[in-house]
Amino acid sequence: MSIQKPSIPKGTRDFGPSQMAKRNYIFRHIRSTFEKFGFMPLETPTMENLSVLTGKYGEEGDQLLFKILNSGDFLKDVPEDKLKKDNAKALTFDIAEKGLRYDLTVPFARYVVMNQHEITFPFKRYQIQPVWRADRPQKGRYREFYQCDADVVGTDSLLCEAEIVLMIHEVFEKLQLSDYAIKINNRKILTAITEYIGAAGKESEFCVAIDKLDKIGLEKVNEELAQRGFSSEAIQKAQPFIVLKGTNEEKLSSLQATLGQLPSGEAGLSELQRVFDYLKAFGVSIPQVDFDITLARGLSYYTGAIFEVKVNNVSIGSVSGGGRYDNLTGVFGLPGVSGVGFSFGVDRLYDVLEELNLFPSEAHTSTQILIANFDSDSERFALPLLKKLREAGIRAEIFPESAKMKKQMNYADKKQIPFVLMAGPDEIASGQLGFKNMITGEQKALTFDQILALFN
Amino acid sequence: MSIQKPSIPKGTRDFGPSQMAKRNYIFRHIRSTFEKFGFMPLETPTMENLSVLTGKYGEEGDQLLFKILNSGDFLKDVPEDKLKKDNAKALTFDIAEKGLRYDLTVPFARYVVMNQHEITFPFKRYQIQPVWRADRPQKGRYREFYQCDADVVGTDSLLCEAEIVLMIHEVFEKLQLSDYAIKINNRKILTAITEYIGAAGKESEFCVAIDKLDKIGLEKVNEELAQRGFSSEAIQKAQPFIVLKGTNEEKLSSLQATLGQLPSGEAGLSELQRVFDYLKAFGVSIPQVDFDITLARGLSYYTGAIFEVKVNNVSIGSVSGGGRYDNLTGVFGLPGVSGVGFSFGVDRLYDVLEELNLFPSEAHTSTQILIANFDSDSERFALPLLKKLREAGIRAEIFPESAKMKKQMNYADKKQIPFVLMAGPDEIASGQLGFKNMITGEQKALTFDQILALFN
């Protein structure tokens, strides 16, 4: 075996102890919030059959799926004439039956359909797992990254939308994030606007253009609408929507006047009103909630509420999104199951917390006490103490060799161990052990029981 | 899009809420034990370059690797004449550069080498992640399964071996497992035995044969040794080892008489003695520790201690194994790094706990209180209470619709929610809410504050 310089696939990362501690800090808060709201964990396999995955993410998505080469003689059943250099695309499904999970939503839908007779609806599940996309890697975009999804399926109650807002708010509070917006919209309102201005079906083009208002100004927005094929009459009728301002309630009542007559408008506005009413009934005021009619993500599958969460004043602000879908499981043969859900992008939350310097030092759950190793006598003296520390629930270790003290201190330092306990010949004789605070550098002489008491 | 009946790849599994709760119960105890002993978490990517993975697990292992088809036009750089039906094996590495993690040890070695200048040695890491093997699925054997590894590299201190025994013992204690054996052996002792009987290098054959003593008896073992090419003189000299009995200390001193003169024997016996001495110095007595000279797993890479943990009286008993390796990172260009580690097989531990009925009911972290939903008044009354329950750290939810009470009770039942809070018109008027214990069926009338107090 020749010696090779090892590397990892591009777009993937190792997470060493300090990154893991920070990631776990985020996961912990998300998980405990999801559970507090009655969501239960689910995990699905890393590999899914390609028949489950393909056709669900658009043509681009299909190309971004990582496919697994069939095991054994993968060419056995392939017709000879298909083995052509220019035939890779057609050959793919002959030699690969499985692919890596691309998101958590499709596997969830697959799970619901396969287990529909065992599941009690409404089914509230959360799922925290990595997904894989063969995207071109770039800053903030990886080929392996984690999603944290929570969904409720089997009810169209708008209480679920309100609780999603509450959960986002709670997670952000725990992470000490306050400067952010929970943008909310409703697909039906977008439909109504395009109907109202006589450009039905052009929700997406409309949103893309008017979303730029702050950046390019009204005149340029109108120009862009024209370029995107909106008639001048449509553009004129669209003006009140483009410049829509005010509180959420003001926006709702302003839209009531124009869209309230259209069935889709009436439905969308009253759904959104209901969500706000629920939040009020909970007795909470969440100023970050922002009704934004330019929000149009996931238009291909969302049928009601649409969510997006943006952290302000950071480089990559969008850290969460979701919405209601009325036919998630239809493609797998189970129609009529309405659901609503959202997803936290942990890698982005990580970058945001790092950028804002919001990771608390306690996030790092390292060893609490290192026992220095002087010689075999000191080692023998220390082992029963080590056992007692651990029995008291303290994360503790002894340096496994009687190395130079500088090396041992450096070890504690690098591993961010806050305390070092020293029991050399003098300390053993006197019973007064050395106890060094690695942050302040201060060293005290304490009995073992006094040290134990510090951690109670 | 046609409607398809979805399925999952063979050998893989979904983990629904109740399995997740049980798995998390196991993970939690393993993780907290590893951390208490000073091990820090590491996670490596699901995909590794095939150049990292191949050649590390033997020829069979290479075939069991799941390989990822290169993205895009994977045939672009393949010579036309390689595209032949009988050429799958040779073609594999032209069209697949990456594979799925096969174990946690090789990625760990790769990580250590890539980060050798940042890592402070000795490096104690634990890693809890799934691995994939294209094995034929059967009972207890999956294509995707979790491993939980803990390793220390960069020291040859035998304290590490002793602490591995302590960690196994602690995890089993937490899982309430007591009827098991921590088998321990030393590669050097096996080497010495084969040298002593004049069959150097035949450790593996020797162990396979004598391991069957209890099943087939001494005579048949000797026959098998003969079949495996041991000379009659070797078999005669092997008799004391085959029938070796007694306590660990008795076995050690009995072997001292025969193997003590050989360098490998002297080294192996004194290393093992040292591990036992350390355990004694810790002040613990672990009767499950069993010095077993037939233990020979992983002979191809273990150079010192060898561990295996077997649970008695269950169908699949082997749940953990490990050992010391002196050259794990050598293949990646970093020689001379000694390490020792072990791995828990979570899927097997799961089956064992299930078989022995050892999962506590508290493992299931479901919602604690369901608030029944009578009508919109009851809903509005309930939402502030729901908020207060959650603020008190109680996992609580409201049924999202005013469905039939039977349906709501069934929901609580299926989700194993222990309590249902009822606030219909009468309860709202009186302030005495209905509080039903779903296990006993008992229902009490309590004020909200009294209910809250129950959970303090």
Side-chain angles (χ1 to χ4, degrees):
Chain A
M1 236 162 2
S2 66
I3 284 172
Q4 359 157 305
K5 205 173 164 218
S7 63
I8 53 174
K10 62 179 175 177
T12 71
R13 296 158 291 167
D14 289 316
F15 298 111
S18 90
Q19 292 115 310
M20 281 297 292
K22 289 175 180 169
R23 292 168 68 81
N24 283 335
Y25 166 79
I26 299 174
F27 287 136
R28 199 159 56 237
H29 285 313
I30 291 176
R31 191 178 293 121
S32 69
T33 303
F34 286 170
E35 291 186 352
K36 209 198 273 182
F37 279 75
F39 288 76
M40 304 285 283
L42 171 72
E43 281 186 13
T44 61
T46 292
M47 301 187 281
E48 291 277 353
N49 290 321
L50 280 178
S51 57
V52 164
L53 297 177
T54 48
K56 313 299 186 299
Y57 308 108
E59 204 175 316
E60 199 202 336
D62 283 355
Q63 281 170 30
L64 298 184
L65 288 170
F66 280 110
K67 293 153 193 104
I68 313 248
L69 194 59
N70 293 342
S71 302
D73 183 1
F74 55 86
L75 294 179
K76 199 176 51 180
D77 298 324
V78 179
E80 183 86 48
D81 62 351
K82 266 189 133 174
L83 284 174
K84 296 251 160 53
K85 256 187 92 69
D86 56 358
N87 208 26
K89 208 165 174 179
L91 200 57
T92 301
F93 296 92
D94 290 312
I95 63 175
E97 280 169 6
K98 296 181 287 290
L100 297 187
R101 189 168 53 222
Y102 183 87
D103 72 357
L104 304 180
T105 310
V106 168
F108 172 54
R110 195 253 321 132
Y111 176 84
V112 168
V113 174
M114 280 179 69
N115 297 276
Q116 54 184 291
H117 302 298
E118 289 79 49
I119 290 172
T120 315
F121 293 97
F123 181 50
K124 301 168 85 169
R125 87 85 173 79
Y126 75 86
Q127 191 166 351
I128 300 183
Q129 290 191 280
V131 301
W132 295 268
R133 297 182 187 176
D135 244 325
R136 191 186 303 272
Q138 59 185 56
K139 191 175 151 40
R141 193 201 281 164
Y142 305 100
R143 292 187 150 188
E144 172 177 62
F145 57 99
Y146 266 79
Q147 293 191 331
C148 302
D149 283 26
D151 290 79
V152 194
V153 293
T155 175
D156 54 11
S157 166
L158 294 158
L159 245 177
C160 304
E161 273 83 343
E163 293 214 315
I164 285 177
V165 172
L166 292 181
M167 286 196 283
I168 293 168
H169 180 66
E170 177 155 336
V171 167
F172 275 49
E173 211 164 50
K174 285 177 174 170
L175 298 177
Q176 296 173 61
L177 282 165
S178 54
D179 190 9
Y180 64 94
I182 304 177
K183 291 181 180 289
I184 182 168
N185 196 8
N186 190 299
R187 166 63 181 266
K188 291 164 186 153
I189 294 175
L190 287 174
T191 303
I193 291 175
T194 53
E195 285 171 4
Y196 181 86
I197 66 174
K202 300 193 73 167
E203 290 99 329
S204 180
E205 294 88 334
F206 179 74
C207 290
V208 168
I210 74 169
D211 183 39
K212 298 182 183 161
L213 182 66
D214 288 345
K215 267 189 224 144
I216 62 177
L218 182 59
E219 204 172 323
K220 295 266 183 196
V221 166
N222 287 337
E223 276 174 29
E224 182 159 341
L225 283 171
Q227 278 161 19
R228 290 178 179 271
F230 288 80
S231 70
S232 56
E233 196 196 338
I235 295 174
Q236 201 190 329
K237 278 187 145 175
Q239 295 308 300
F241 304 112
I242 303 176
V243 299
L244 186 69
K245 283 223 151 41
T247 64
N248 296 335
E249 293 292 342
E250 284 165 3
K251 288 181 194 166
L252 272 178
S253 69
S254 153
L255 291 178
Q256 192 64 44
T258 45
L259 307 179
Q261 310 308 315
L262 297 166
S264 53
E266 161 58 21
L269 292 170
S270 70
E271 285 181 12
L272 201 50
Q273 183 65 59
R274 193 92 191 264
V275 174
F276 293 148
D277 287 349
Y278 273 130
L279 288 172
K280 211 177 287 167
F282 266 106
V284 293
S285 158
I286 302 179
Q288 291 91 349
V289 175
D290 176 22
F291 170 28
D292 180 353
I293 62 160
T294 71
L295 180 61
R297 49 175 291 151
L299 274 185
S300 59
Y301 42 96
Y302 292 139
T303 51
I306 306 173
F307 299 104
E308 181 162 14
V309 185
K310 283 190 174 167
V311 180
N312 298 324
N313 303 316
V314 292
S315 40
I316 299 174
S318 178
V319 295
S320 177
R324 178 171 288 277
Y325 37 80
D326 275 345
N327 199 18
L328 182 67
T329 56
V331 63
F332 296 123
L334 181 66
V337 178
S338 184
V340 60
F342 75 112
S343 180
F344 280 117
V346 169
D347 300 272
R348 289 182 165 194
L349 268 177
Y350 185 104
D351 289 347
V352 165
L353 295 184
E354 198 72 288
E355 191 171 337
L356 298 175
N357 204 17
L358 281 179
F359 281 112
S361 57
E362 314 87 74
H364 199 68
T365 55
S366 184
T367 299
Q368 293 162 282
I369 300 181
L370 173 71
I371 304 186
N373 193 332
F374 290 85
D375 50 34
S376 62
D377 282 346
S378 134
E379 192 176 85
R380 209 154 288 264
F381 177 80
L383 296 187
L385 306 186
L386 182 53
K387 178 168 172 271
K388 280 184 195 155
L389 290 173
R390 289 173 179 159
E391 279 168 358
I394 299 163
R395 296 185 300 277
E397 60 182 299
I398 183 168
F399 199 83
E401 305 163 359
S402 55
K404 284 197 181 125
M405 211 37 58
K406 194 180 160 192
K407 186 178 177 188
Q408 299 191 38
M409 290 297 167
N410 181 52
Y411 176 84
D413 217 41
K414 287 284 168 55
K415 205 166 168 178
Q416 297 181 45
I417 301 176
F419 297 101
V420 175
L421 189 160
M422 277 163 291
D426 298 345
E427 287 85 1
I428 295 174
S430 71
Q432 295 281 320
L433 312 180
F435 195 64
K436 182 168 182 172
N437 181 323
M438 293 298 289
I439 296 153
T440 64
E442 183 194 23
Q443 186 170 332
K444 286 183 182 165
L446 298 171
T447 66
F448 181 70
D449 287 342
Q450 287 172 326
I451 292 169
L452 255 189
L454 292 176
F455 290 81
N456 275 339
Chain B
M1 239 165 351
S2 66
I3 284 172
Q4 359 157 302
K5 205 174 164 221
S7 62
I8 53 174
K10 62 178 175 178
T12 71
R13 295 159 292 167
D14 289 316
F15 298 110
S18 89
Q19 290 115 309
M20 282 296 292
K22 289 175 180 172
R23 291 168 67 80
N24 283 335
Y25 166 79
I26 300 174
F27 287 136
R28 199 158 58 236
H29 285 313
I30 292 176
R31 191 179 291 120
S32 68
T33 303
F34 286 169
E35 291 185 353
K36 209 198 271 181
F37 279 75
F39 288 77
M40 305 285 283
L42 171 72
E43 282 187 12
T44 61
T46 292
M47 300 186 280
E48 291 277 353
N49 290 321
L50 280 178
S51 57
V52 164
L53 297 177
T54 48
K56 311 301 185 299
Y57 308 108
E59 204 175 314
E60 200 202 334
D62 282 356
Q63 282 171 29
L64 298 185
L65 289 169
F66 279 110
K67 292 151 193 106
I68 313 245
L69 195 59
N70 292 341
S71 303
D73 183 1
F74 55 87
L75 294 178
K76 201 177 51 183
D77 297 324
V78 179
E80 184 87 47
D81 61 351
K82 267 190 134 175
L83 284 175
K84 297 251 160 54
K85 255 187 93 68
D86 57 359
N87 208 25
K89 209 164 171 180
L91 199 59
T92 301
F93 297 92
D94 289 311
I95 62 176
E97 279 170 8
K98 296 181 287 288
L100 298 187
R101 189 168 54 221
Y102 182 87
D103 72 358
L104 303 179
T105 310
V106 167
F108 172 54
R110 195 258 314 135
Y111 175 85
V112 168
V113 174
M114 282 178 69
N115 297 277
Q116 54 184 290
H117 303 299
E118 289 79 48
I119 290 173
T120 315
F121 293 95
F123 182 48
K124 300 168 85 170
R125 86 87 174 75
Y126 74 87
Q127 192 166 351
I128 300 183
Q129 289 192 281
V131 301
W132 296 268
R133 297 182 187 177
D135 244 323
R136 189 187 303 270
Q138 58 185 56
K139 190 176 154 36
R141 193 201 280 162
Y142 305 101
R143 290 186 153 189
E144 172 176 63
F145 57 97
Y146 266 79
Q147 294 190 331
C148 301
D149 284 23
D151 291 80
V152 193
V153 293
T155 175
D156 54 12
S157 166
L158 294 158
L159 246 177
C160 304
E161 274 82 343
E163 293 213 313
I164 284 176
V165 172
L166 291 180
M167 286 196 284
I168 293 169
H169 180 65
E170 177 156 335
V171 168
F172 275 50
E173 211 163 51
K174 284 177 175 168
L175 298 177
Q176 295 174 60
L177 282 165
S178 54
D179 190 9
Y180 64 94
I182 304 177
K183 291 177 179 293
I184 182 167
N185 195 9
N186 191 297
R187 166 61 181 269
K188 290 165 187 152
I189 294 175
L190 287 174
T191 303
I193 291 175
T194 54
E195 285 172 4
Y196 181 84
I197 66 173
K202 301 192 73 169
E203 290 98 330
S204 178
E205 293 90 333
F206 180 73
C207 289
V208 168
I210 75 168
D211 184 38
K212 297 180 183 163
L213 182 66
D214 288 345
K215 266 190 225 146
I216 61 176
L218 181 60
E219 204 172 324
K220 295 265 183 196
V221 166
N222 287 338
E223 275 173 30
E224 182 159 341
L225 283 171
Q227 278 162 21
R228 290 177 180 271
F230 287 80
S231 69
S232 55
E233 197 196 336
I235 295 174
Q236 202 191 330
K237 277 187 147 176
Q239 295 309 302
F241 304 112
I242 302 176
V243 298
L244 186 70
K245 283 222 152 43
T247 64
N248 295 336
E249 293 292 342
E250 284 164 2
K251 287 181 195 166
L252 274 177
S253 69
S254 152
L255 292 177
Q256 191 64 45
T258 45
L259 307 178
Q261 310 307 316
L262 298 166
S264 53
E266 161 58 23
L269 292 171
S270 71
E271 284 181 11
L272 200 50
Q273 182 66 58
R274 193 91 189 263
V275 174
F276 293 147
D277 288 349
Y278 272 130
L279 288 173
K280 211 178 288 168
F282 266 106
V284 294
S285 158
I286 303 179
Q288 290 89 350
V289 175
D290 177 22
F291 170 28
D292 179 354
I293 60 161
T294 71
L295 181 62
R297 50 175 290 152
L299 274 184
S300 60
Y301 42 96
Y302 292 140
T303 51
I306 307 173
F307 299 104
E308 181 162 12
V309 186
K310 284 191 174 165
V311 180
N312 298 324
N313 303 315
V314 292
S315 42
I316 299 174
S318 177
V319 295
S320 176
R324 179 171 287 277
Y325 36 80
D326 274 346
N327 198 19
L328 182 68
T329 56
V331 65
F332 297 123
L334 182 64
V337 178
S338 185
V340 60
F342 75 112
S343 179
F344 279 117
V346 168
D347 300 270
R348 291 182 162 196
L349 268 177
Y350 185 102
D351 290 345
V352 165
L353 295 183
E354 199 71 290
E355 192 172 335
L356 299 175
N357 203 16
L358 283 178
F359 281 114
S361 57
E362 315 87 73
H364 199 70
T365 55
S366 183
T367 299
Q368 294 161 281
I369 300 180
L370 172 72
I371 304 187
N373 193 330
F374 289 85
D375 51 34
S376 61
D377 283 346
S378 133
E379 192 176 82
R380 209 154 287 263
F381 176 81
L383 296 186
L385 306 188
L386 182 54
K387 177 166 173 272
K388 280 184 195 157
L389 290 174
R390 288 172 178 160
E391 280 168 357
I394 299 164
R395 298 185 299 275
E397 59 182 300
I398 184 170
F399 199 85
E401 305 163 359
S402 55
K404 285 198 180 119
M405 211 36 59
K406 194 180 159 191
K407 186 179 177 187
Q408 300 192 38
M409 290 299 166
N410 181 53
Y411 176 83
D413 217 40
K414 286 284 169 58
K415 206 168 168 177
Q416 297 181 47
I417 301 176
F419 298 101
V420 175
L421 190 160
M422 279 163 290
D426 297 345
E427 287 86 359
I428 295 174
S430 69
Q432 294 282 318
L433 312 181
F435 196 64
K436 181 168 181 172
N437 180 323
M438 293 298 287
I439 295 154
T440 64
E442 184 194 22
Q443 186 171 330
K444 286 183 182 163
L446 298 171
T447 67
F448 181 70
D449 287 341
Q450 286 171 325
I451 292 169
L452 255 190
L454 292 177
F455 290 81
N456 276 339

